[in-house]
Amino acid sequence: MEHIPQELLQSFRPPAFQHSYFLSFEGIEGSGKTTQIRRTKEFLEDHNFRVLILREPGGTTFGEHLRQAVLSNQTQLHPLAEAYLFAASRAQLLHEVVMKELSVPNTVVICDRYLDSTLVYQGKARNLGHRLVLEIHQHFPLNLVPHMTFFLEVSLTTSKDRQNVRNNPKDYFEGQGDAFYRKLIEGYHEVRDLFPERIRTLDGELVPDEVFAKIQEHLTVLLKTNDAKDK
Ligand SMILES: Nc1ncnc2c1ncn2[C@@H]1O[C@H](COP(=O)(O)OP(=O)(O)O)[C@@H](O)[C@H]1O
Ligand SMILES: [Mg+2]
């Protein structure tokens, strides 16, 4: 794997707000992100958090315009164009929404895909390299990463089976072949090794209740650790 300087990796840190948390969910299509985000939201709301779910590109007026442009685009964009489009939308989302919301205590912002998706899709599958993608993101506010990221790991077969059940029209990224998906899976493994402290891997093949039980364990530790720091 390519060499990534430690200083570059260390420029990424979670936002420093007390009693507010930034989370993301990662994994290929059909890995169960939407399902588990819904449960996580209910769990956190039961614990008196205000929960916001965001998706990229989007979440701001500018981001929604970009989303339409990217997802409806019929020609393949250059990977750098993709990476910068997502980064542009992300910078605006952090500035307009994430920072403001997290400054309110007891808020949790959940991103359905975030930086790791850009690393995996543009960095790995489209060959830009992780280093270049990280360099694009190394300055504030793009260097803000979640306190915890849940990576739902499923096989290509499971991903396909679940997508077939869902039967939505395929979007810009979903209409790709097996080789592309294998690269995504490999990319997620590489990204997990770059950020071992932030990323929690979950077996997405388990039934939803079992997957969520693990998430709940991790969340409980995260919330407790931060409570202890305050004392
Ligand atoms: N752990 C699971 N076991 C079996 N089916 C699941 C599981 N998690 C999600 N599903 C189903 O798989 C499909 C895709 O799940 P979804 O949460 O939308 O995944 P994603 O958001 O990652 O694409 C949905 O039909 C969902 O009900
Ligand atoms: Mg989803």
Side-chain angles (χ1 to χ4, degrees):
M1 203 171 94
E2 63 179 332
H3 172 72
I4 317 264
Q6 272 307 312
E7 310 90 84
L8 179 57
L9 290 171
Q10 280 159 8
S11 35
F12 294 88
R13 32 188 96 196
F17 290 111
Q18 282 180 334
H19 302 293
S20 286
Y21 299 92
F22 185 24
L23 305 175
S24 67
F25 282 72
E26 293 284 350
I28 58 177
E29 287 310 304
S31 57
K33 298 181 296 298
T34 301
T35 305
Q36 296 301 329
I37 286 172
R38 204 177 301 133
R39 286 174 183 233
T40 300
K41 181 177 196 285
E42 282 169 19
F43 172 80
L44 290 167
E45 283 174 348
D46 288 346
H47 286 73
N48 300 317
F49 284 97
R50 193 172 65 98
V51 181
L52 260 99
I53 298 171
L54 303 175
R55 61 169 191 181
E56 295 181 304
T60 63
T61 310
F62 169 69
E64 289 301 334
H65 288 313
L66 277 187
R67 184 182 187 85
Q68 285 314 314
V70 175
L71 298 184
S72 66
N73 184 47
Q74 296 299 313
T75 58
Q76 188 164 61
L77 292 176
H78 188 277
L80 256 190
E82 278 179 19
Y84 278 113
L85 280 167
F86 278 93
S89 159
R90 183 166 298 155
Q92 195 59 25
L93 185 69
L94 285 159
H95 170 67
E96 254 183 57
V97 182
V98 178
M99 298 296 286
K100 242 175 237 165
E101 298 294 349
L102 289 178
S103 72
V104 180
N106 301 308
T107 300
V108 179
V109 171
I110 304 179
C111 276
D112 187 337
R113 298 184 170 284
Y114 190 65
L115 173 66
D116 305 322
S117 282
T118 317
L119 286 163
V120 164
Y121 280 77
Q122 283 73 44
K124 179 69 180 179
R126 303 224 46 216
N127 300 314
L128 281 185
H130 297 312
R131 181 171 178 166
L132 177 50
V133 172
L134 290 172
E135 283 168 354
I136 291 173
H137 287 81
Q138 71 185 315
H139 301 292
F140 184 83
L142 282 172
N143 63 346
L144 294 174
V145 288
H147 292 90
M148 202 174 264
T149 295
F150 297 106
F151 166 46
L152 301 165
E153 192 169 31
V154 293
S155 66
L156 181 52
T157 316
T158 298
S159 167
K160 279 192 189 164
D161 290 349
R162 290 189 191 164
Q163 287 183 60
N164 288 338
V165 170
R166 197 166 52 181
N167 214 6
N168 288 338
K170 295 208 181 306
D171 73 18
Y172 180 76
F173 288 112
E174 287 172 335
Q176 304 270 357
D178 283 8
F180 186 81
Y181 272 90
R182 289 214 182 80
K183 277 189 120 177
L184 295 182
I185 290 171
E186 205 185 313
Y188 268 121
H189 292 161
E190 292 170 2
V191 169
R192 176 175 62 184
D193 292 342
L194 289 177
F195 298 101
E197 287 178 13
R198 170 171 61 84
I199 302 179
R200 302 286 185 280
T201 304
L202 305 161
D203 182 356
E205 305 278 341
L206 301 174
V207 298
D209 280 350
E210 290 175 314
V211 179
F212 186 68
K214 298 282 179 203
I215 292 175
Q216 195 175 320
E217 278 175 30
H218 288 304
L219 285 175
T220 306
V221 173
L222 176 70
L223 302 180
K224 263 203 197 117
T225 311
N226 269 48
D227 275 355
K229 273 190 207 150
D230 293 340
K231 286 181 186 134

